[in-house]
Amino acid sequence: KQIPALNEVFTPSAETIAHARRVVRTFEEADTGLVVIDGKLIENLHVEGAKQMVAMADAITQMEQAAAE
């Protein structure tokens, strides 16, 4: 009973996850140390955080799907 509530509270919003995926994708496609997204300078530090967020969101989605089966 508590896990779904905790996941809801701590799971990033769909918009935040989409932005994180965009950061990772853009950085990988650019193959440089810096990119600019929406006028903001994105460095590797930001990309690592975005990758962690995407991994967390994907893990929560997988757990929810497994629990629904």
Side-chain angles (χ1 to χ4, degrees):
K1 293 180 181 181
Q2 296 172 346
I3 293 194
L6 291 171
N7 284 345
E8 185 176 333
V9 170
F10 291 106
T11 300
S13 69
E15 180 180 293
T16 301
I17 295 166
H19 178 73
R21 290 185 193 283
R22 182 174 171 216
V23 167
V24 172
R25 183 181 64 247
T26 302
F27 196 83
E28 289 174 350
E29 289 172 355
D31 196 30
T32 65
L34 300 167
V35 296
V36 177
I37 298 176
D38 299 330
K40 295 181 181 178
L41 184 64
I42 305 295
E43 300 179 73
N44 191 48
L45 172 67
H46 303 109
V47 176
E48 291 305 313
K51 286 179 180 179
Q52 290 175 356
M53 182 178 300
V54 168
M56 180 178 65
D58 289 346
I60 290 170
T61 299
Q62 289 176 352
M63 287 188 297
E64 289 173 343
Q65 289 172 348
E69 293 177 356

